[in-house]
Amino acid sequence: MKLTERLGKEWVFFDGGMGTILQEHGLKAGELPETWNLSHPDEIIALNLSYFEAGCDVVNTNTFGANALKYPDNLQEIVQAAVSHAKTARQQADREDAYIALDIGPTGKLLQPMGDLPFERAVELFGETIRIGAKAGADLVLIETMSDSYEAKAAVLAAKENCDLPVLVTLIFDEKGKLLTGGTVDSTVAMLEGLRVDALGVNCGLGPKQMHPIIERLTQISSLPIIVNPNAGLPRSENGKTVFDIAPAEFSDLMEEIAGMGVQALGGCCGTTPEHLRLTIEKCRKVPFRPPVAKRRTVVSSFSQAVEIGPKPVIIGERINPTGKSKFKAALRENNIEYILGEGMAQEDSGAHILDVNVGLPEIDEPVMMERVVTRLQSVIALPLQIDTSDTTAMERGMRLYNGKPMINSVSGKMESMEAVFPLVRKYGGVVVGLALDENGIPSTAEGRIRIAKKIYDTAEKYGIPHEDIVIDGLAMTISSDSGSALVTLETLRRIRDELHGHSILGVSNISFGLPQREIVNSNFFTMAMQSGLSCAIINPNNEAMMKSYRSYLALANLDEQCAGYIAAYGNQPAAAPAAVGGTAMPLAESIERGLRERAIDAAKEMLQTVPPLEVVNNELIPALDRVGKGFEKGTVFLPQLLMSAEAAKAAFEVVKDAMKGESQQIKGKIILATVKGDIHDIGKNIVKVLLENYAYQVLDLGKDVPPEVIVDTAIKEDVPVVGLSALMTTTVVSMEETIKQLREKKPGTKVVVGGAVLTQEYADSIGADCYAKDAMATVHYVDSVFGV
């Protein structure tokens, strides 16, 4: 029986730890676990066998880190061997009813624009491993321990494009329910459901107890089978080995409790053993199974935000669109992306929930521009985007590179349109706008528009696109040429809500085209439309009359609890100044906080004409970074924005340095950064490097997979007082401990700060670190304290 025929219909049990058990069997510090597929095949077969015999339905191949970055010369041999060992173990266990999962872990790199790995290169890397594993006989692809939703999307697309196996995804959230790059449970579920994965869930990082809030939210919002694979509690070091604090009996009791929360698949991660899983399976099989329930939610998401359509009207900002905007057209022709970002930020500040993105001009390459604008916008703005184009090539480029589940504007009732757009929505996910028009044009009656809406729903269903992923545009036509058009539109909205039980959208301002004082008509029609059931309004959120209509409607319709939103906007508090847009100058500090590199350069040059360079650094650059850092720590600023701000500050600082030529430039101190031996995952280290350099520290970056001796020798030679060490994998933390030990012996007094997804305060203490940094800003604060800044 295929796995997809069992997932969500009965209990499915996954295996447990791999690297932590191999350590117990002799895997040395810094030794790559996947090499044991070739050097210790019997050990791998025996471990796979023990999981099959424990009753696990899904056993992972030893390929977590198997990609061409780590194994450029023998990737095929390693992956083929891993699958072969799992197949041998399954045969020995006589478990032909069980499945072999091709285990796909992260590359260890940040994707552009935050990092240096292009999205398409990530797809290629994952695709190469997946092709080999699928051909070798894997039964499914398990994409696990993903801390970046963008990388998870790259892996899912690679799986979908290179095999026809089931695709399952588990992510690594922190205790606040956030991914490293800022994703939430809501935003990642929306994206993965849109990508049509077969199951999703959470693994690693946390023990069963700490996962409860995440699991609760998953069961509330996900329509897919949910997988839960926790660690055996939290790690610590004992006698040079990584151990976990939850024994098999306690672990199985905790998993029995999780089984009762409404999940469908259970297993383990770091620190769990075949005995952990044997007891878990024994107890959890007795728990009544609850299949997943379709939630029927209409959700659009970015990397960090999810906007649900339905509970109350949603504002879609219309300003990123060249129609009738000469300055915007000029910005597109001149490739002035900063102008476009400014328009987006102004709408975000004014209360938009989603931003419409239309970059179509006859004289430009629209697919290239769509790609450029989408990737830049999502690096500095947290709002979800609506990809608005009639060019399906541009549409696909935007959808493919989008980090989340976008809105798509649009498809019509024409068969040609549906046949072009629905396959893209099926592949990449999205909430698509359905225009109530077809080959015969725009019906003059609500009945005709509802008929086309039903046609769009029915055709979408044939492509596997559910009712909730369609939002019908009732079409607002100007009353200047047809005085009854508003009434037809309003009736259409009511029938979409009451008869079709669907959601609607309008380009509201179309209603007044050709009339004087248009905002009078627009704002009143907007209120009427919301009362008639309008779900989404494409408007200019910078227009105060429209926003007054919106906020007052929410208050009157009991959609604004205790009128909090209305009071915040129109109470005694001074209104927040909107972001500068278009060609308006933006102060240096704000440019940095917004992550606008080019504007930061221009602002720095202008400021240097009247302000001494050191004052620019001390009064603008550093305070701006401090504010962004505090926002990051509070959870109001996310990692992409933090990094873009740091890059903007770095660019501005280069301008300042040029102005300081011949002057002494103050360096606060020198620090070594390294990812320890055996680990190629340098995301955390690279983030810390960017920030430290912006805080005027000289960073000696030794790279990744760095032996302890190299770190110690460099610290002695350069007389460095602080060393920063990072590791992602449990199997490489022992190298971190060895590095600290050698530093203590050969360069006593050197301070060591450590970080990484597998670390905790207790673990850092047990290996002798001076500081555990839970994030990049914590490292900056500690280094400041060491240097007395």
Side-chain angles (χ1 to χ4, degrees):
M1 183 183 297
K2 293 181 180 180
L3 177 63
T4 50
E5 296 174 8
R6 295 176 61 184
L7 269 175
K9 300 176 180 65
E10 61 180 84
W11 287 115
V12 174
F13 295 100
F14 286 71
D15 67 3
M18 172 70 74
T20 47
I21 295 178
L22 295 184
Q23 279 185 312
E24 294 178 2
H25 291 192
L27 182 72
K28 297 176 183 177
E31 188 176 6
L32 301 179
E34 295 82 15
T35 61
W36 275 40
N37 294 332
L38 306 180
S39 62
H40 297 72
D42 293 341
E43 294 277 4
I44 302 301
I45 292 170
L47 179 53
N48 288 155
L49 176 62
S50 65
Y51 280 123
F52 282 123
E53 291 179 338
C56 297
D57 301 303
V58 179
V59 171
N60 294 342
T61 57
N62 182 29
T63 53
F64 176 83
N67 60 63
L69 294 177
K70 190 182 290 187
Y71 300 102
D73 301 320
N74 60 346
L75 177 65
Q76 180 170 334
E77 186 181 10
I78 282 173
V79 175
Q80 287 177 338
V83 177
S84 176
H85 299 335
K87 291 169 72 174
T88 299
R90 180 171 61 182
Q91 185 177 18
Q92 290 179 4
D94 193 22
R95 286 292 311 279
E96 293 307 313
D97 62 330
Y99 308 92
I100 294 167
L102 181 67
D103 192 354
I104 301 293
T107 62
K109 286 185 168 292
L110 272 175
L111 274 61
Q112 292 178 347
M114 290 188 293
D116 58 1
L117 183 64
F119 181 85
E120 294 296 357
R121 176 57 178 151
V123 175
E124 290 175 6
L125 288 167
F126 289 125
E128 184 176 3
T129 301
I130 290 165
R131 283 194 302 274
I132 297 167
K135 187 175 181 180
D139 302 305
L140 66 135
V141 176
L142 175 62
I143 299 163
E144 59 143 315
T145 321
M146 286 288 165
S147 60
D148 177 11
S149 59
Y150 206 29
E151 186 173 26
K153 177 173 181 174
V156 171
L157 289 179
K160 296 280 188 179
E161 293 173 352
N162 288 280
C163 73
D164 58 1
L165 302 177
V167 179
L168 288 59
V169 182
T170 57
L171 303 115
I172 178 170
F173 293 95
D174 63 21
E175 290 190 20
K176 295 179 181 178
K178 296 286 183 67
L179 300 180
L180 172 67
T181 51
T184 65
V185 175
D186 287 55
S187 65
T188 51
V189 166
M191 183 193 77
L192 293 173
E193 288 190 344
L195 289 169
R196 272 77 181 172
V197 302
D198 295 287
L200 55 80
V202 58
N203 81 290
C204 201
L206 302 173
K209 295 177 183 177
Q210 294 83 5
M211 281 186 177
H212 270 228
I214 298 166
I215 297 167
E216 287 175 0
R217 188 58 184 162
L218 283 169
T219 58
Q220 289 168 2
I221 65 172
S222 178
S223 301
L224 294 175
I226 295 168
I227 308 165
V228 179
N229 294 336
N231 289 345
L234 301 177
R236 65 180 187 276
S237 179
E238 283 186 4
N239 302 318
K241 291 186 177 181
T242 301
V243 297
F244 291 78
D245 60 6
I246 300 182
E250 182 185 0
F251 182 86
S252 60
D253 286 341
L254 293 168
M255 293 302 284
E256 185 177 11
E257 185 178 342
I258 288 174
M261 295 175 69
V263 305
Q264 290 76 39
L266 298 165
C269 200
C270 299
T272 58
T273 66
E275 183 63 9
H276 283 80
L277 272 299
R278 186 187 69 77
L279 291 176
T280 294
I281 294 166
E282 180 182 299
K283 293 176 182 177
C284 292
R285 280 201 191 281
K286 300 173 185 177
V287 177
F289 180 80
R290 290 155 56 187
V293 177
K295 304 304 189 296
R296 303 298 182 191
R297 299 168 73 241
T298 301
V299 182
V300 183
S301 71
S302 66
F303 74 92
S304 65
Q305 291 187 13
V307 174
E308 184 176 1
I309 295 170
K312 62 182 181 181
V314 169
I315 301 295
I316 301 175
E318 67 180 4
R319 298 296 298 169
I320 303 178
N321 189 316
T323 304
K325 303 181 186 73
S326 58
K327 289 185 178 179
F328 194 93
K329 290 178 180 179
L332 289 175
R333 295 187 188 103
E334 297 164 9
N335 195 28
N336 185 357
I337 304 299
E338 298 280 314
Y339 180 97
I340 299 171
L341 298 182
E343 290 284 359
M345 289 174 178
Q347 294 178 95
E348 182 178 36
D349 289 346
S350 296
H353 305 115
I354 299 170
L355 297 182
D356 183 80
V357 180
N358 185 315
V359 294
L361 278 182
E363 62 266 41
I364 69 169
D365 188 329
E366 187 178 353
V368 170
M369 183 59 72
M370 180 66 77
E371 175 180 333
R372 190 171 296 147
V373 170
V374 165
T375 52
R376 286 294 304 278
L377 274 170
Q378 68 185 5
S379 70
V380 297
I381 293 176
L383 297 184
L385 303 181
Q386 175 172 266
I387 297 170
D388 183 357
T389 179
S390 59
D391 183 328
T392 53
T393 301
M395 183 180 291
E396 179 167 19
R397 288 307 297 163
M399 294 174 73
R400 185 176 181 86
L401 294 172
Y402 183 68
N403 187 3
K405 182 183 179 184
M407 283 196 81
I408 306 300
N409 192 4
S410 57
V411 70
S412 73
K414 298 178 181 179
M415 287 307 301
E416 180 183 16
S417 174
M418 292 188 285
E419 289 171 354
V421 174
F422 282 152
L424 299 181
V425 178
R426 168 70 187 175
K427 179 175 182 178
Y428 297 109
V431 173
V432 62
V433 174
L435 303 178
L437 61 87
D438 61 10
E439 289 83 357
N440 297 316
I442 300 174
S444 59
T445 65
E447 178 64 35
R449 296 180 192 183
I450 294 299
R451 175 183 52 77
I452 294 173
K454 290 178 179 178
K455 177 183 176 183
I456 292 172
Y457 281 133
D458 292 342
T459 307
E461 195 69 37
K462 295 176 183 177
Y463 285 88
I465 300 167
H467 185 281
E468 60 266 23
D469 279 348
I470 303 291
V471 177
I472 299 298
D473 190 335
L475 301 176
M477 309 301 292
T478 180
I479 57 173
S480 64
S481 60
D482 180 357
S483 59
S485 65
L487 298 177
V488 172
T489 299
L490 294 172
E491 182 186 348
T492 303
L493 295 180
R494 288 191 290 271
R495 293 185 63 177
I496 292 169
R497 178 191 62 191
D498 300 334
E499 181 180 326
L500 303 183
H501 306 293
H503 298 304
S504 57
I505 188 171
L506 286 179
V508 176
S509 60
N510 292 339
I511 203 72
S512 65
F513 187 77
L515 294 175
Q517 301 289 323
R518 293 181 63 189
E519 73 173 26
I520 298 174
V521 175
N522 292 344
S523 59
N524 282 280
F525 176 68
F526 185 22
T527 301
M528 296 172 71
M530 287 187 286
Q531 193 166 9
S532 297
L534 179 64
S535 308
C536 306
I538 304 176
I539 66 169
N540 176 8
N542 302 329
N543 185 294
E544 190 56 30
M546 297 298 282
M547 295 307 292
K548 283 179 178 177
S549 294
Y550 177 71
R551 294 184 179 113
S552 58
Y553 171 79
L554 294 185
L556 292 165
N558 195 25
L559 297 173
D560 181 9
E561 189 173 353
Q562 297 181 328
C563 301
Y566 183 89
I567 292 170
Y570 305 117
N572 295 325
Q573 307 94 318
V581 299
T584 306
M586 182 182 287
L588 175 57
E590 186 177 353
S591 300
I592 291 169
E593 291 178 54
R594 294 287 193 170
L596 298 178
R597 185 178 182 277
E598 297 303 320
R599 290 198 181 189
I601 291 172
D602 292 341
K605 289 178 180 177
E606 182 177 350
M607 181 167 281
L608 285 168
Q609 295 176 13
T610 56
V611 179
L614 282 177
E615 287 188 25
V616 173
V617 173
N618 294 329
N619 298 337
E620 295 287 328
L621 270 68
I622 298 301
L625 280 174
D626 283 340
R627 287 191 290 273
V628 172
K630 289 176 182 176
F632 178 68
E633 290 169 340
K634 292 177 182 177
T636 58
V637 172
F638 302 105
L639 183 62
Q641 297 156 309
L642 178 73
L643 290 179
M644 292 302 103
S645 295
E647 286 297 327
K650 185 177 181 180
F653 187 62
E654 290 300 317
V655 175
V656 175
K657 282 200 298 185
D658 287 341
M660 293 173 65
K661 285 180 179 177
E663 299 182 26
S664 60
Q665 298 178 25
Q666 183 181 6
I667 297 295
K668 292 180 181 178
K670 190 186 298 184
I671 179 172
I672 286 173
L673 293 181
T675 300
V676 297
K677 182 174 174 59
D679 207 320
I680 67 161
H681 301 86
D682 58 358
I683 291 175
K685 173 185 66 67
N686 293 341
I687 294 168
V688 171
K689 178 184 177 183
V690 170
L691 291 179
L692 283 171
E693 287 179 339
N694 276 284
Y695 278 85
Y697 287 101
Q698 181 183 353
V699 177
L700 303 179
D701 183 1
L702 302 185
K704 55 197 176 187
D705 190 18
V706 186
E709 296 77 15
V710 173
I711 297 170
V712 174
D713 290 346
T714 305
I716 294 171
K717 179 181 178 182
E718 299 290 338
D719 192 23
V720 176
V722 186
V723 173
L725 303 175
S726 72
L728 174 75
M729 300 186 297
T730 306
T731 54
T732 60
V733 178
V734 288
S735 295
M736 185 178 282
E737 183 175 12
E738 176 61 25
T739 303
I740 294 172
K741 179 182 176 183
Q742 291 191 26
L743 280 168
R744 297 288 183 250
E745 292 174 355
K746 299 180 181 180
K747 197 176 184 300
T750 300
K751 300 296 183 182
V752 181
V753 54
V754 298
V758 297
L759 291 175
T760 62
Q761 183 66 60
E762 182 182 2
Y763 202 130
D765 293 341
S766 69
I767 63 176
D770 296 290
C771 174
Y772 161 61
K774 62 182 177 64
D775 56 42
M777 284 307 301
T779 305
V780 174
H781 295 327
Y782 177 71
V783 174
D784 277 348
S785 72
V786 172
F787 285 96
V789 176

